[in-house]
Amino acid sequence: MNSEFSDRAVVVEIGVHTRIGIYVPSSDDYRFFALGSAPSSLEAPDFDLTIGYKAAIADAVANAGCYAFRTITADDGFPVSVVTGEALSRGPTAFLMGNLVARDLEALASNVALSGFEEVGRATTSVRDFRERVDGPAAIDVIASHKPDLIIVSLTDDSEGDGIEYLADLLVEGLAGRESHYIPRILLLYGGVVPPAAVDRVKMVFPTQVHSISGGTPNQPMDLQVPTTALEEEAKHLHQDIFDGRVIPEALSTSPHMSRAVGLGAATDQLAKSQGLDVTVIACDHSDVTVVVAHGGTTKLAQFAAGDSDNRPFYVGFHTPIDRVARWIPDGLLPQAMHSYVVNQTSHPTAIPSTTSELMLSHAVWTVGARGALTHPDDGRRLIKDGSVDLAVLTGEVTKYIGRPIQAALLMINSLETWGITQLALDSASALAMSGCLLETGIPVAIESSLIHLGSCVAVRGQANVGETAVAVEVHPEGFPAIEREVGAGSMDVIQWEAGVDAEIRIWPSAKFDAGLGYGRPIRVRSKLVSGSVGLVIDARGRPLEWPEDTDERKARIEQWYRSLNAYAPA
């Protein structure tokens, strides 16, 4: 190895920790090689990122060793390819207005997130009459409160021009008339001929870009090519001075910056294309949970985020309802315990759980956050409609909170409610977003180079009385005796076999359950599976997941799940 520094690609991620990812070239691309990490010194009391940056460099050099570095010290630094991380900037913010049908609105909102924007609100209607259906003054109040960097207006079927006239009145008279000196950028996506008088009124007050769009009717989906390009350009214009009042090493302040959400989206999309699979990535971080779904050639991103109006990061537990968190903890959850833990995590974001109970609580919080990101807040629709996922990957700060590999597998299964056969992987270095950022800068990266294969999950949907046989599974490892297991309804189990040994899998669901081909229909998995560090998890709890109303029964059920998988050490 011992190549010159220019042969390497280096990504710096600034969050709760300052992290440095080192990538080295292989024949056709770059592969993740080593990680350095240290607590960030960007905020109080230091306000000097140099301290944490040098410590992260020293850690990276120690982890990589002389195999990669000959003479470098912590004072030297690296040529940095790209800088990412939510502590530097949560990205520009956006507010959505318009009269798009639900299908196009969600597609546009996903592209807004994938372009690096954080959505702070919306005033939309699927009914074509924008003026009559949207409470304009209330929307202006929300915009004035959150001060988004960009206001995105999408109007279709506005042939009479009423919608654009109403918008001009709201922005020019309602927003510009306030004594706040707040001047957002306006992105107008308009279906049809744009009325020049109304647009000129807006342009006289706000920096405005206007783009014509096609489609956007109930029978014709909106063409997203123009909106996507426009959003990417707006993101470049809106890049702000994120280092104000802080000391930043020159290598970082002069390097390209990219939203972590953009990196996650690019990495997920590339992983899906290279593997030929439908992929879902769950990124659990200190103040938010991001879920990226690549399915059928399209990539969607959703977030469950915590923060105040100034985007100051709070621990994600501030926004997870206590009753939902308590579902995943055998002993229930006292409000005082939840409050104490959440406050402590916000005050000390690098603190690691010190007890099994705290570890369960942290996993429960992230599970609820992920399920929240996957569920539409208005109508409860799920981002993954049937729970069918070929490959699920866990990444983010949560990787520091994984005591046993099975805990990562369980968190993904509980969050996604997977159905059928799903491969499970852990990005233990939390390098996926870094890899995606490199891809976006034009550097080819082997995305899978940071992933650890955990195993697979067989999950059945349906319902039956607890204990009634739900599914039988046979594992035939090459060169070893077959392993047979029957699992009752409402239960979980796991089958493990020799590492690195391929195995043939056969599944027999009972008549009340479906493992992927229909109720009661057996499956012989075409591709042989490898055990991984977890093995084959059998989830016979049914879909959708249901919890007993009786407290003692619920406690016993959850204890059985965790005990059968050996997920946690005894409390």
Side-chain angles (χ1 to χ4, degrees):
M1 182 81 49
N2 265 329
S3 52
E4 296 300 320
F5 298 138
S6 59
D7 290 337
R8 304 188 189 96
V10 177
V11 184
V12 177
E13 182 178 285
I14 311 300
V16 172
H17 291 81
T18 299
R19 302 181 342 115
I20 298 176
I22 311 295
Y23 292 74
V24 295
S26 59
S27 57
D28 300 317
D29 49 29
Y30 282 77
R31 302 184 68 84
F32 177 75
F33 180 68
L35 178 74
S37 179
S40 177
S41 53
L42 183 66
E43 302 296 338
D46 301 302
F47 297 107
D48 182 355
L49 187 58
T50 309
I51 301 169
Y53 179 54
K54 286 186 175 182
I57 291 175
D59 191 45
V61 172
N63 291 337
C66 61
Y67 181 65
F69 305 111
R70 288 175 291 188
T71 59
I72 192 168
T73 69
D75 294 323
D76 296 327
F78 308 104
V80 177
S81 305
V82 63
V83 179
T84 186
E86 303 310 316
L88 288 183
S89 172
R90 294 186 66 85
T93 54
F95 187 92
L96 273 63
M97 303 180 73
N99 64 349
L100 295 179
V101 297
R103 172 202 61 216
D104 293 332
L105 176 61
E106 292 311 312
L108 178 63
S110 179
N111 276 27
V112 167
L114 287 170
S115 299
F117 287 90
E118 180 185 358
E119 183 184 329
V120 296
R122 60 177 67 171
T124 60
T125 176
S126 59
V127 179
R128 318 315 282 168
D129 195 336
F130 180 71
R131 180 190 291 269
E132 295 296 326
R133 291 287 180 167
V134 170
D135 187 344
I140 293 301
D141 287 341
V142 174
I143 291 171
S145 173
H146 287 277
K147 294 182 173 59
D149 301 301
L150 179 68
I151 299 175
I152 304 167
V153 182
S154 302
L155 290 173
T156 60
D157 194 16
D158 190 39
S159 57
E160 300 297 324
D162 288 342
I164 190 65
E165 289 287 349
Y166 184 46
L167 173 74
D169 291 342
L170 289 174
L171 294 177
V172 175
E173 299 175 13
L175 188 60
R178 303 189 180 214
E179 298 180 1
S180 62
H181 306 290
Y182 162 58
I183 303 178
R185 293 180 65 86
I186 309 296
L187 174 60
L188 175 60
L189 306 172
Y190 198 80
V193 179
V194 182
V199 173
D200 288 344
R201 286 177 61 202
V202 178
K203 285 185 173 181
M204 289 179 63
V205 181
F206 302 100
T208 304
Q209 294 293 321
V210 181
H211 296 271
S212 295
I213 55 175
S214 59
T217 66
N219 298 323
Q220 183 182 6
M222 180 173 64
D223 186 345
L224 290 171
Q225 183 174 356
V226 169
T228 299
T229 302
L231 285 167
E232 291 172 350
E233 289 300 315
E234 290 295 332
K236 293 177 182 178
H237 282 298
L238 285 167
H239 188 75
Q240 303 169 357
D241 180 10
I242 57 180
F243 304 122
D244 185 34
R246 294 165 172 79
V247 178
I248 306 295
E250 184 178 357
L252 303 188
S253 62
T254 58
S255 297
H257 302 110
M258 191 170 298
S259 163
R260 196 163 179 274
V262 171
L264 284 170
T268 306
D269 185 62
Q270 178 63 24
L271 188 60
K273 290 177 179 176
S274 64
Q275 301 293 319
L277 302 172
D278 290 338
V279 177
T280 296
V281 170
I282 303 175
C284 298
D285 291 298
H286 178 261
S287 59
D288 55 43
V289 178
T290 303
V291 179
V292 188
V293 177
H295 176 78
T298 62
T299 301
K300 297 181 179 180
L301 181 147
Q303 288 185 310
F304 182 94
D308 63 9
S309 59
D310 296 319
N311 286 327
R312 183 178 60 213
F314 288 158
Y315 176 55
V316 69
F318 265 110
H319 283 241
T320 51
I322 189 169
D323 60 322
R324 297 182 186 176
V325 175
R327 290 180 183 177
W328 303 99
I329 300 174
D331 293 331
L333 181 63
L334 294 175
Q336 298 92 327
M338 175 77 171
H339 176 78
S340 176
Y341 182 75
V342 167
V343 170
N344 183 63
Q345 284 294 307
T346 299
S347 304
H348 308 283
T350 60
I352 301 296
S354 58
T355 65
T356 299
S357 296
E358 284 191 352
L359 186 63
M360 285 185 180
L361 176 54
S362 68
H363 293 168
V365 165
W366 272 314
T367 297
V368 173
R371 291 171 69 90
L374 283 161
T375 305
H376 193 280
D378 294 333
D379 56 18
R381 286 182 293 112
R382 303 252 311 162
L383 197 61
I384 306 173
K385 293 182 179 179
D386 62 0
S388 178
V389 179
D390 295 331
L391 172 63
V393 181
L394 184 66
T395 185
E397 285 283 332
V398 67
T399 58
K400 296 179 179 294
Y401 293 68
I402 298 299
R404 301 176 180 182
I406 187 63
Q407 295 167 6
L410 189 59
L411 198 155
M412 286 187 279
I413 295 167
N414 287 340
S415 298
L416 300 173
E417 288 196 32
T418 56
W419 166 61
I421 302 169
T422 304
Q423 297 182 63
L424 306 171
L426 175 66
D427 178 28
S428 60
S430 188
L432 212 59
M434 293 182 177
S435 299
C437 288
L438 284 179
L439 279 176
E440 286 293 293
T441 62
I443 298 175
V445 178
I447 298 296
E448 69 279 2
S449 59
S450 67
L451 302 185
I452 295 174
H453 176 62
L454 294 177
S456 302
C457 174
V458 172
V460 293
R461 66 180 178 184
Q463 298 293 337
N465 294 327
V466 174
E468 183 180 338
T469 298
V471 63
V473 177
E474 280 188 10
V475 176
H476 296 264
E478 291 185 356
F480 294 89
I483 306 170
E484 300 178 0
R485 197 70 51 86
E486 277 191 1
V487 183
S491 301
M492 301 184 76
D493 210 332
V494 63
I495 298 176
Q496 296 175 314
W497 63 95
E498 285 68 15
V501 175
D502 290 342
E504 185 179 280
I505 310 297
R506 298 175 184 175
I507 305 164
W508 286 274
S510 71
K512 295 181 179 179
F513 289 91
D514 178 6
L517 292 182
Y519 286 87
R521 298 189 63 181
I523 295 176
R524 180 175 180 176
V525 182
R526 289 188 222 171
S527 302
K528 294 183 177 180
L529 302 182
V530 178
S531 175
S533 53
V534 167
L536 180 66
V537 178
I538 306 169
D539 185 352
R541 296 176 295 178
R543 298 290 185 270
L545 285 177
E546 295 181 352
W547 283 263
E549 294 185 6
D550 180 75
T551 302
D552 291 337
E553 188 179 348
R554 181 195 61 82
K555 176 180 177 180
R557 189 83 57 86
I558 298 175
E559 284 181 343
Q560 188 278 330
W561 298 345
Y562 295 166
R563 187 172 58 252
S564 62
L565 302 180
N566 195 25
Y568 297 95

